[in-house]
Amino acid sequence: MNASNNVEAVIGGLRGIEIETPSWAYGNSGTRFGVFPWPGAARNVHERIADAALVHRLTGVCPTVAIHVIWDWVDDWKELAAFAQSEGVRLGAINGNVFQGDDYRLGSFCHPDSRVRRKAIDHCLECIDIAKQVDSDVFTVWLADGTNYPGQDEMRERYRRLLEGFGELHAALPAGMRFLVEYKFFEPAFYSTDLPDWGTAVLVCRALGPQAQVLVDTGHHPLGTNVEQIVALLLEEGLLGGFHFNNRKYADDDLIVGSIDPFELFRIMGEIVSAKGDPHTERTADAIAYMIDQSHNIEGKIEAMIQSVVNIQTAYAKALIVDREALRAAQLEGDVLGAHRVLTDAFETDVRPILEQLRAERGLPADPVVAFRSEGHEQRLARERA
Ligand code: RM4
Ligand code: MN
Ligand code: MN
């Protein structure tokens, strides 16, 4: 830490970061092999929102909750928004769902049959309308589209269908609403995926217009991908819209963010902090939507979410204490290892006291995981939801 980067400045930087938690991570979920129910796990959208609100009360930095439209379906979205407000949170990103249902066997937006494409488009138009009703300014959809066998369909045509459908969505966005385009390397399609990578997502966003930006799900890349470089380039191009944070070891594992590779998370945050200090990228970096997208299969849902939030704050705090002046000087001198050491110095610093100070200022528990455990929420919810 240096003079220009003192504890106050770090705390100031941390104050600017809010993290959206996903409704779908609070219920029971599993793999295709089985689901192990967790005692007290949320059973409906109201309980999922209540759990998100508890995470916000304990951490102070999670005021919004992302909604997955089919899974969280209600007839009255305004009522749901009012319920969220009564719990102390707001509804955040509205996620469309065009991957469940028999019609989508061959895809949704890229399906060869225009009637299925219409269905997917109409569903997403409805999601945009829901977003308007609940005052959300982020709409996002992930496509499971792709093919399993060479020759199954025409890849260029599928891309055209995608642009056509997404074009309708972009045209329907009210001013101020963003359309975040999420890519994923593979799965459930195993031969070709229609939106497989950030390059394709960039092409799509460029074709759509200014309200479309890329959503980086940190678990959606081939092994070994330099995710922070993707983040840096998207920032430079004004196209980084937001994140779906989670951690992976092999495929789209959806583990707790920062649990497998905290150094990668730190490197990603490093690019963001750096971009915030650059007038060319500052606006894009300031508008990033920090969202978690996880699936907790064998662990308690709420505790996993609190830990995830803490891991994000920890990585961000470490990125904030990087001595940027020393880093710049070392880079310009060609001091390869000196520059590297500036980064590792920050990564190795214990930032827990800084985070505790931030929480103390807000009257929050010093360690929200400890508080969650000692306040007995797990047992209470297991009783109430038995
Ligand atoms: C996908 C992707 C989406 C999420 C679905 C459930 O892999 O990450 O964001 O909504 O899973
Ligand atoms: Mn995702
Ligand atoms: Mn995923």
Side-chain angles (χ1 to χ4, degrees):
M1 214 168 312
N2 61 3
S4 64
N5 224 337
N6 55 32
V7 172
E8 276 315 311
V10 175
I11 288 185
L14 282 165
R15 276 197 207 105
I17 297 297
E18 289 181 342
I19 302 155
E20 182 163 305
T21 74
S23 68
W24 56 94
Y26 293 106
N28 282 316
S29 59
T31 66
R32 64 184 189 275
F33 303 106
V35 178
F36 304 102
W38 187 263
R43 297 162 298 183
N44 54 51
V45 63
H46 291 84
E47 290 180 358
R48 292 193 278 276
I49 289 175
D51 290 357
L54 174 57
V55 171
H56 181 46
R57 278 199 294 282
L58 290 168
T59 62
V61 291
C62 304
T64 57
V65 48
I67 293 295
H68 222 293
V69 166
I70 301 282
W71 298 338
D72 292 324
W73 185 264
V74 288
D75 290 327
D76 186 346
W77 292 96
K78 281 186 183 296
E79 186 279 329
L80 192 68
F83 172 76
Q85 206 149 22
S86 72
E87 289 284 316
V89 289
R90 283 174 286 119
L91 302 187
I94 303 298
N95 289 250
N97 183 323
V98 290
F99 51 88
Q100 283 177 317
D102 297 346
D103 285 339
Y104 295 135
R105 185 172 62 92
L106 301 178
S108 60
F109 279 78
C110 307
H111 197 287
D113 185 340
S114 64
R115 279 170 311 184
V116 178
R117 298 204 294 276
R118 188 73 254 157
K119 177 180 163 167
I121 297 167
D122 286 344
H123 167 74
C124 289
L125 290 173
E126 189 175 14
C127 291
I128 292 170
D129 185 60
I130 293 168
K132 282 192 221 168
Q133 289 182 46
V134 303
D135 262 335
S136 163
D137 56 7
V138 173
F139 160 71
T140 181
V141 65
W142 163 74
L143 298 191
D145 289 48
T147 68
N148 269 12
Y149 293 96
Q152 183 188 321
D153 200 359
E154 289 301 322
M155 289 187 272
R156 279 185 293 109
E157 259 180 53
R158 291 181 72 91
Y159 179 63
R160 276 180 218 161
R161 296 171 197 150
L162 191 159
L163 287 186
E164 204 182 291
F166 273 20
E168 251 193 72
L169 305 186
H170 191 272
L173 297 173
M177 190 183 291
R178 289 189 287 171
F179 175 5
L180 301 189
V181 176
E182 181 174 3
Y183 58 90
K184 173 162 149 165
F185 175 40
F186 84 105
E187 198 208 13
F190 295 123
Y191 166 60
S192 73
T193 294
D194 290 302
L195 240 171
D197 52 33
W198 69 282
T200 312
V202 163
L203 292 177
V204 169
C205 289
R206 287 258 195 268
L208 292 181
Q211 286 169 262
Q213 284 181 307
V214 180
L215 171 60
V216 177
D217 184 311
T218 47
H220 286 189
H221 308 89
L223 277 175
T225 299
N226 184 333
V227 179
E228 63 272 25
Q229 186 175 15
I230 295 171
V231 168
L233 295 186
L234 290 176
L235 281 163
E236 184 67 12
E237 292 293 331
L239 283 174
L240 181 68
F243 287 94
H244 269 179
F245 283 118
N246 54 68
N247 215 168
R248 58 83 66 91
K249 174 75 178 144
Y250 300 107
D252 186 19
D253 306 337
D254 281 335
L255 297 174
I256 292 174
V257 53
S259 62
I260 301 290
D261 191 349
F263 188 48
E264 179 189 62
L265 185 59
F266 162 77
R267 297 193 306 264
I268 290 171
M269 295 307 188
E271 291 304 324
I272 294 171
V273 170
S274 160
K276 279 184 183 249
D278 178 344
H280 176 66
T281 44
E282 190 185 2
R283 266 191 54 212
T284 308
D286 284 345
I288 291 172
Y290 299 90
M291 303 178 284
I292 291 174
D293 177 9
Q294 291 176 182
S295 177
H296 308 126
N297 300 336
I298 58 166
E299 64 273 56
K301 320 301 167 194
I302 302 174
E303 184 174 336
M305 196 54 76
I306 298 169
Q307 187 61 58
S308 308
V309 172
V310 170
N311 289 356
I312 291 172
Q313 286 187 299
T314 302
Y316 195 73
K318 289 182 178 192
L320 284 168
I321 64 172
V322 170
D323 186 339
R324 301 263 152 209
E325 275 167 38
L327 181 63
R328 190 84 194 122
Q331 288 170 342
L332 293 176
E333 279 164 25
D335 182 359
V336 176
L337 293 184
H340 176 62
R341 198 182 160 88
V342 173
L343 281 193
T344 53
D345 270 349
F347 180 65
E348 281 164 15
T349 306
D350 183 359
V351 293
R352 285 175 294 188
I354 301 179
L355 292 174
E356 281 171 18
Q357 194 175 321
L358 169 77
R359 295 184 189 118
E361 279 176 14
R362 296 171 168 186
L364 295 164
D367 183 332
V369 172
V370 170
F372 174 73
R373 288 191 163 213
S374 65
E375 290 171 13
H377 295 289
E378 199 81 87
Q379 296 76 357
R380 172 179 60 79
L381 290 170
R383 262 195 326 271
E384 289 173 4
R385 296 173 181 173

